[in-house]
Amino acid sequence: LAKTTQPISMDSYEGQEVNITCSHNNIATNDYITWYQQFPSQGPRFIIQGYKTKVTNEVASLFIPADRKSSTLSLPRVSLSDTAVYYCLVGDEVNAGKSTFGDGTTLTVKP
Amino acid sequence: EAGVTQFPSHSVIEKGQTVTLRCDPISGHDNLYWYRRVMGKEIKFLLHFVKESKQDESGMPNNRFLAERTGGTYSTLKVQPAELEDSGVYFCASSQDSTGAEKLFFGSGTQLSVL
């Protein structure tokens, strides 16, 4: 399974756009990229998933360059409630559920 | 629609005792996964059920851990006998997609403390 690397922590202020980049140099052809959000005392929650180019939903955008060796989760206009740990996972349809979540990125949004 | 529920939310037991964790997946989800985070480390995969069958249990740490999924509905994870290093948070997740893990729905976890 492809290993991922993310910044350990990031700080931001309310109303700003936050971009969290994940490196996955060994991503395989069949792998897709999934991001999860986790609040304290809760399980991870699915945010967004993509294979290439750009994906957007109601909460975030995911940018994936052509070589797919990295991906960037973009959170528009964050609020205090977006303070959480964000995980990037890489895997194919069969093995994605076996991914290790890694350390994730702890995002702290300040007022 | 009810989410993934786990019971208990917290469990405190003594070394050598037995503990059984339960997970109720979202209704209709064939895929069920168990994960755990110990000692503040990464969340790691333990095993994967497809309906009542164990698809992959490569992440199970040792034979003190036994997982079952009766009738392809809820699942239990039994630790017998529990050791100190088993302390951590145990998460369960389910997914609908037939291939497995396209979008995982997680429970809130069971915090296990072995004293």
Side-chain angles (χ1 to χ4, degrees):
Chain A
L1 301 175
K3 180 177 172 60
T4 60
T5 303
Q6 306 174 230
I8 294 296
S9 63
M10 294 181 69
D11 290 342
S12 182
Y13 291 92
E14 283 189 291
Q16 290 187 332
E17 178 184 79
V18 171
N19 296 308
I20 305 174
T21 297
C22 177
S23 297
H24 27 81
N25 292 317
N26 297 321
I27 190 169
T29 302
N30 294 331
D31 287 345
Y32 53 91
I33 301 150
T34 311
W35 285 79
Y36 287 84
Q37 173 192 57
Q38 186 180 26
F39 298 112
S41 301
Q42 294 186 23
R45 182 176 74 99
F46 173 90
I47 302 176
I48 197 167
Q49 182 185 83
Y51 183 81
K52 61 180 180 180
T53 63
K54 176 183 175 181
V55 179
T56 298
N57 61 23
E58 63 276 8
V59 297
S61 294
L62 180 59
F63 298 91
I64 306 169
D67 66 6
R68 305 203 321 123
K69 294 184 182 299
S70 67
S71 58
T72 299
L73 174 72
S74 182
L75 305 173
R77 299 183 59 80
V78 294
S79 63
L80 297 178
S81 62
D82 292 316
T83 294
V85 180
Y86 293 82
Y87 296 97
C88 163
L89 271 71
V90 174
D92 61 29
E93 290 181 334
V94 174
N95 295 306
K98 306 172 191 176
S99 299
T100 295
F101 275 65
D103 292 326
T105 297
T106 299
L107 172 66
T108 303
V109 180
K110 302 175 182 178
Chain B
E1 178 184 88
V4 176
T5 57
Q6 293 187 242
F7 182 83
S9 58
H10 294 81
S11 180
V12 180
I13 61 172
E14 293 186 351
K15 175 183 174 180
Q17 289 186 323
T18 297
V19 62
T20 300
L21 314 181
R22 172 169 170 148
C23 170
D24 286 75
I26 293 174
S27 178
H29 282 195
D30 288 341
N31 296 280
L32 188 149
Y33 298 82
W34 283 97
Y35 301 84
R36 74 171 184 175
R37 170 186 277 146
V38 295
M39 297 300 292
K41 295 184 179 178
E42 302 166 327
I43 299 173
K44 289 190 174 181
F45 165 83
L46 293 179
L47 86 160
H48 171 208
F49 283 100
V50 177
K51 297 184 180 179
E52 68 276 6
S53 300
K54 292 177 184 176
Q55 187 75 11
D56 186 335
E57 51 184 332
S58 61
M60 295 286 265
N62 53 61
N63 58 11
R64 295 186 293 104
F65 289 76
L66 176 63
E68 295 179 325
R69 190 178 182 191
T70 307
T73 55
Y74 70 91
S75 175
T76 58
L77 179 64
K78 180 191 289 186
V79 185
Q80 179 182 31
E83 298 290 344
L84 299 179
E85 63 265 25
D86 300 331
S87 296
V89 183
Y90 290 77
F91 292 104
C92 172
S94 70
S95 71
Q96 183 176 35
D97 192 272
S98 60
T99 58
E102 185 173 36
K103 181 176 179 179
L104 295 171
F105 294 84
F106 282 81
S108 296
T110 294
Q111 174 74 58
L112 175 64
S113 298
V114 182
L115 306 179

